[in-house]
Amino acid sequence: MKDGKYLVGFIGFGGIARGPHYTGWKKLQDVEVIGIADPSEEVRNIAKNEFGIKYVFENYDDLLKIEEIDIIDICAPNTIHFPATIASLKAGKNVLCEKPLAVKKNEVEEMIKEAKKSGKKLMAAQHMRFMRESVAIKKLIDDGELGEIYFAIAYALRRRHLPTSLTFIDKNLSGGGPMFDIGVHILDLTYWFMGCPKVHSVKGITLTKLAKRKDIRGLWGEWDREKYNVEDFASGFVRFSDNRALTLTCSFLANMEGISDFSTTLFGTEGGIKWPNGKLAKEKNGILQNIELKLDVLPNPAPHHEEIRVFLECVKENKEVPVKPEQSLEVIKILEAIYISSETGKEVIF
Ligand SMILES: NC(=O)c1ccc[n+]([C@@H]2O[C@H](COP(=O)([O-])OP(=O)(O)OC[C@H]3O[C@@H](n4cnc5c(N)ncnc54)[C@H](O)[C@@H]3O)[C@@H](O)[C@H]2O)c1
């Protein structure tokens, strides 16, 4: 802290950092973004010359030496999340880390241990929990409108939207394909809607069917087919300890009617609902009802900004973060287990 302001440093200052994360912090009056670390010289020049960032480093260890920094916002590729979080917590910083929190269950376990040891906050930036549709539907669920949600079908399907940057398609950086890029969003959301139960077992499959083919065109341009080494399709069946379940299906390149299907359908004993459209199915006095919730007229704060605002509030008031790392642990456990199950052909039982 300096002059009454919370100081923020970024590890990784690419697309998501320079977009909604930077503007999210800038909106807050008692915050200053003071430094960044990024191995790319081009990015460091942008930080210095276009954003006027005071401290710009190639290596995040140098950024972490700045004692007054209170919060590190990690926006580096997925596989960097683990080492960067551990180093930041060891340096006494609070950490907001982009999704996925890490790419291995063991890594998340270590991150949780380190956060506890340091007494600092750690939260995965699952911004979809902060969307107005998500907040409204969660309230409805918590009010008992759906009864017990016993099953969910989660989709993160894109027809031809394959991210072209190696950040998302080279396993050394991304840890995986659509599961870690977009699947993690819909899984975290569905898992939260279901009340965050413990995972019992996971069965799944991951496939690379279209991404290596030269005749397939992406709507975001060309990608390096040689370096593409992750799945382009994945599907998993997850059973929870309390005998409920969900399925997760994700793809960057699905042959499907529309351009994308980013949704989750929740089946409850008293009602069912689809996110994000808010179509609620119920039965009352023997009469079936379809109710359309008017979610599009609710106030609509930018979800990334909300997540940043709420995280700062937790740091200031020493409150528990809303996306608890223990919840992210179950989410990462599921994703990792889908890869393991796909490789072994067996169910992973925890
Ligand atoms: N929540 C969302 O909506 C959302 C959207 C996009 C990306 N993301 C996440 O944000 C992260 C970054 O994605 P992006 O789209 O900004 O990617 P990007 O490739 O645009 O930016 C990543 C940046 O990290 C830098 N970097 C690489 N190694 C580093 C290291 N060791 N230390 C510090 N910086 C390093 C790169 O040079 C690059 O500038 C990923 O984890 C991704 O999953 C989240």
Side-chain angles (χ1 to χ4, degrees):
M1 248 188 130
K2 206 172 174 195
D3 305 327
K5 289 203 168 190
Y6 286 83
L7 302 190
V8 173
F10 277 93
I11 295 182
F13 201 57
I16 195 74
R18 302 206 297 269
H21 278 242
Y22 182 80
T23 47
W25 291 115
K26 283 300 273 187
K27 262 173 95 172
L28 302 168
Q29 305 213 319
D30 48 356
V31 166
E32 189 182 341
V33 176
I34 196 168
I36 68 114
D38 198 298
S40 155
E41 192 179 354
E42 189 193 339
V43 168
R44 293 200 300 278
N45 285 336
I46 293 174
K48 232 185 278 170
N49 304 329
E50 291 177 28
F51 288 77
I53 307 250
K54 199 166 167 190
Y55 300 108
V56 171
F57 301 102
E58 187 175 351
N59 191 310
Y60 61 70
D61 288 329
D62 294 318
L63 179 73
L64 295 176
K65 284 183 195 142
I66 303 177
E67 215 169 299
E68 302 86 30
I69 289 184
D70 304 284
I71 296 168
I72 290 290
D73 186 348
I74 300 178
C75 293
N78 301 344
T79 53
I80 310 295
H81 295 179
F82 168 63
T85 296
I86 296 289
S88 303
L89 290 168
K90 279 191 192 295
K93 315 299 185 196
N94 298 286
V95 176
L96 176 67
C97 179
E98 254 308 336
K99 43 53 62 171
L101 187 55
V103 298
K104 302 260 179 250
K105 159 183 162 286
N106 293 351
E107 293 177 347
V108 181
E109 281 167 350
E110 263 192 65
M111 289 153 100
I112 293 174
K113 258 192 227 153
E114 200 56 53
K116 287 210 170 113
K117 204 162 116 192
S118 69
K120 297 292 166 185
K121 306 288 170 208
L122 168 65
M123 184 172 104
Q126 298 290 165
H127 76 277
M128 287 196 167
R129 290 200 195 186
F130 299 87
M131 287 168 64
R132 62 178 169 186
E133 294 82 359
S134 313
V135 174
I137 289 176
K138 177 67 169 148
K139 185 161 188 322
L140 212 103
I141 292 168
D142 290 346
D143 287 348
E145 195 71 35
L146 304 187
E148 182 200 17
I149 302 169
Y150 53 88
F151 189 65
I153 299 174
Y155 288 131
L157 291 172
R158 290 178 181 160
R159 185 166 179 173
R160 288 292 184 272
H161 278 140
L162 185 146
T164 56
S165 154
L166 289 181
T167 296
F168 301 97
I169 62 172
D170 175 2
K171 199 171 178 197
N172 297 318
L173 295 171
S174 64
M179 273 216 296
F180 276 132
D181 184 25
I182 49 179
V184 67
H185 278 304
I186 202 69
L187 175 62
D188 175 77
L189 195 66
T190 307
Y191 178 70
W192 178 58
F193 285 149
M194 292 182 81
C196 304
K198 275 267 172 211
V199 179
H200 171 270
S201 53
V202 177
K203 200 161 184 193
I205 191 161
T206 65
L207 302 165
T208 310
K209 287 285 180 189
L210 282 79
K212 297 289 234 183
R213 274 169 52 180
K214 298 220 164 55
D215 59 327
I216 298 290
R217 290 283 150 263
L219 296 173
W220 288 336
E222 280 302 304
W223 63 95
D224 189 331
R225 286 163 176 75
E226 294 298 312
K227 291 197 175 137
Y228 192 99
N229 59 4
V230 292
E231 84 281 2
D232 62 37
F233 176 88
S235 189
F237 179 88
V238 182
R239 187 179 178 138
F240 295 107
S241 306
D242 53 5
N243 221 18
R244 301 186 290 145
L246 65 78
T247 63
L248 167 72
T249 306
C250 350
S251 178
F252 284 152
L253 296 169
N255 282 325
M256 56 192 271
E257 189 190 353
I259 275 303
S260 96
D261 184 351
F262 213 99
S263 68
T264 189
T265 306
L266 307 169
F267 299 90
T269 50
E270 303 304 318
I273 200 165
K274 191 159 180 177
W275 176 97
N277 68 17
K279 289 195 175 160
L280 178 62
K282 308 255 308 173
E283 178 178 338
K284 202 170 181 190
N285 301 329
I287 300 166
L288 298 182
Q289 302 178 320
N290 285 351
I291 302 163
E292 195 156 339
L293 303 177
K294 290 299 290 170
L295 302 178
D296 57 345
V297 293
L298 290 171
N300 196 19
H304 288 284
H305 296 180
E306 267 304 279
E307 136 206 302
I308 283 169
R309 185 188 66 72
V310 169
F311 183 73
L312 179 69
E313 207 174 87
C314 293
V315 169
K316 277 185 184 170
E317 297 171 20
N318 195 19
K319 288 198 299 204
E320 197 171 11
V321 293
V323 186
K324 297 181 188 36
E326 290 78 8
Q327 298 168 358
S328 300
L329 173 63
E330 297 299 298
V331 166
I332 303 304
K333 245 163 103 170
I334 294 172
L335 297 178
E336 189 186 16
I338 292 176
Y339 289 112
I340 296 171
S341 170
S342 182
E343 247 175 64
T344 60
K346 293 187 181 138
E347 190 173 24
V348 177
I349 300 177
F350 291 100

